[in-house]
Amino acid sequence: MTATRQHDETILSALRLMCSGMNLSRTAARLGKNPSNLGKSLRAVLRDDLECGDDPIEIVEAYPTSLIIERRV
């Protein structure tokens, strides 16, 4: 999937709103997006950031905790 500038702006707006304490459903409603699709997009961006090789702890701390899904091994 190729991201457009509008898609990037939506992701950034969603992250700002969620980091300020708004939940995913309210964020999606405010931005006029489907909550499921927005959540998938945000988690995809988080995954990409984690794969870039930077310190994963710093990356995770920059994202809303509601996007972090603990995996059980």
Side-chain angles (χ1 to χ4, degrees):
M1 173 179 89
T2 304
T4 64
R5 182 169 180 84
Q6 181 180 6
H7 186 256
D8 290 346
E9 292 298 324
T10 300
I11 294 294
L12 290 173
S13 295
L15 288 172
R16 271 189 232 105
L17 290 169
M18 292 182 72
C19 285
S20 71
M22 192 176 287
N23 67 28
L24 179 60
S25 296
R26 288 187 58 204
T27 298
R30 179 176 251 180
L31 296 174
K33 301 295 179 186
N34 176 289
S36 178
N37 291 342
L38 182 60
K40 288 175 187 174
S41 293
L42 291 168
R43 283 189 283 280
V45 170
L46 171 60
R47 219 175 12 256
D48 288 347
D49 282 352
L50 288 170
E51 290 174 356
C52 75
D54 291 333
D55 183 12
I57 300 298
E58 288 181 15
I59 292 169
V60 168
E61 288 175 347
Y63 280 84
T65 56
S66 59
L67 290 178
I68 311 301
I69 299 171
E70 183 179 339
R71 288 196 175 183
R72 305 214 187 254
V73 182

